[in-house]
Amino acid sequence: LDQTTSPPTLTNEAVMESLGLATPELQSRVMPVVTNMEQYISRLLMAAYDKKTRPFSHMVERPTLTCSKMSAPTVVVSEFYLLSLHSVDQIGGSYELDGYFRLWWNDTRLRYDGLAPNACIEELRFDPGEIWTPDIYFDGSLDDYKTFAPGPPQPSSSSMTVSPDGLVYWTRHARLKLGCDMDFRELPFDRQICRYKAGTWSTQSTDVLMQWNDLDLPFPEWYHPETSEAPWKLVAVNASSPVASWSFADKTGTWSFAEAVFTLEHLHA
């Protein structure tokens, strides 16, 4: 190696030319020396980003007298990759789930496919605290504080990525303990019906719509024999995406959920 030869300098002009960043607006905001293109794009996206505001896609009709138009609700798609259904407690009326809780939604403010067309960046990583996220809760949860596995935000228990078109993907390791109304009328040949219901705590269905990634397979891998714990066997999962009405005093609203019904069967039966 010739120690007298200096390495080429990574200048703004060289980066602009190689990555197609030719606009004055982008050029004026580029870092003095770009050593990490993903970091550069992330800083551009975050410059004017407001995480308190949900993503906007388009306007829709609003059936009210005062406002004829409204922002379309943000569609949040979910799935629960089921590792195990266990600890069915007939006396306490509960059961537990272990797996990966996954969410997808579009945020056009995070779209970057036109910022660096020659960079071939397939995904950007973000911390969940940096961008807007739906405030998910699980109806009937008996242990909210231990739902998501402890650990650093990424990558041990949580991973959030954004695709060039602005599609956000967020996956977290989840442990749920949910209530279940047990039916003892057919003991010992009993079947138990337990429910799973995920929704948003503070946003109505006019703002956020919860949907399943696949209604026919909302809990991938649930059908494997090792998924459920003896003496119970998970024999069926039925999913839906209902919108429920709510009223309190003079206030009313509608709330969107990703809901599923588990059918558990005693192995003794």
Side-chain angles (χ1 to χ4, degrees):
L1 179 62
D2 185 0
Q3 300 293 336
T4 63
T5 303
S6 300
T9 302
L10 188 60
T11 63
N12 288 354
E13 291 74 15
V15 172
M16 294 295 176
E17 182 179 357
S18 63
L19 297 177
L21 306 176
T23 65
E25 178 184 359
L26 290 179
Q27 187 171 359
S28 66
R29 295 162 63 183
V30 72
M31 293 183 292
V33 176
V34 179
T35 58
N36 187 318
M37 204 61 218
E38 288 82 1
Q39 184 184 42
Y40 164 64
I41 297 295
S42 299
R43 289 187 180 183
L44 282 180
L45 296 174
M46 291 291 99
Y49 190 91
D50 181 7
K51 67 179 182 180
K52 296 180 181 179
T53 305
R54 68 179 179 87
F56 171 81
S57 58
H58 61 283
M59 301 296 290
V60 295
E61 297 292 335
R62 185 174 187 173
T64 64
L65 297 177
T66 55
C67 301
S68 60
K69 296 282 187 178
M70 61 178 287
S71 174
T74 301
V75 178
V76 176
V77 177
S78 72
E79 113 181 341
F80 197 106
Y81 187 93
L82 188 61
L83 296 176
S84 66
L85 188 155
H86 58 94
S87 303
V88 178
D89 185 352
Q90 288 185 280
I91 297 176
S94 67
Y95 72 103
E96 297 185 28
L97 298 174
D98 193 356
Y100 298 102
F101 182 63
R102 298 166 173 171
L103 297 175
W104 294 264
W105 68 89
N106 278 288
D107 192 334
T108 55
R109 298 170 296 178
L110 299 176
R111 185 169 183 170
Y112 58 91
D113 50 2
L115 293 181
N118 299 331
C120 298
I121 300 175
E122 297 182 356
E123 65 179 26
L124 292 176
R125 290 190 172 273
F126 285 90
D127 186 280
E130 294 181 291
I131 68 173
W132 178 89
T133 56
D135 57 339
I136 299 294
Y137 84 102
F138 298 94
D139 192 45
S141 174
L142 302 179
D143 199 355
D144 290 334
Y145 297 103
K146 295 182 180 180
T147 295
F148 296 106
Q154 296 190 68
S156 64
S157 61
S158 173
S159 176
M160 174 177 282
T161 58
V162 179
S163 301
D165 60 357
L167 179 65
V168 182
Y169 170 59
W170 189 16
T171 177
R172 288 177 284 177
H173 183 202
R175 299 186 180 108
L176 301 178
K177 184 177 182 179
L178 302 172
C180 180
D181 294 329
M182 301 291 178
D183 186 349
F184 302 103
R185 290 175 296 180
E186 297 182 4
L187 284 174
F189 306 101
D190 58 319
R191 284 192 171 196
Q192 300 297 343
I193 304 298
C194 297
R195 299 184 180 276
Y196 164 99
K197 197 173 184 180
T200 54
W201 178 257
S202 64
T203 47
Q204 298 188 38
S205 61
T206 51
D207 295 320
V208 174
L209 279 177
M210 294 290 298
Q211 295 182 359
W212 286 107
N213 185 41
D214 186 347
L215 270 176
D216 295 325
L217 197 61
F219 291 79
E221 310 300 327
W222 72 264
Y223 45 82
H224 289 296
E226 63 270 18
T227 298
S228 46
E229 182 184 65
W232 295 94
K233 180 181 179 181
L234 180 58
V235 296
V237 178
N238 297 296
S240 61
S241 301
V243 174
S245 299
W246 170 87
S247 61
F248 179 76
D250 59 341
K251 296 182 179 180
T252 60
T254 56
W255 304 86
S256 177
F257 297 93
E259 187 173 356
V261 176
F262 295 112
T263 302
L264 300 171
E265 185 179 72
H266 245 134
L267 293 179
H268 303 297

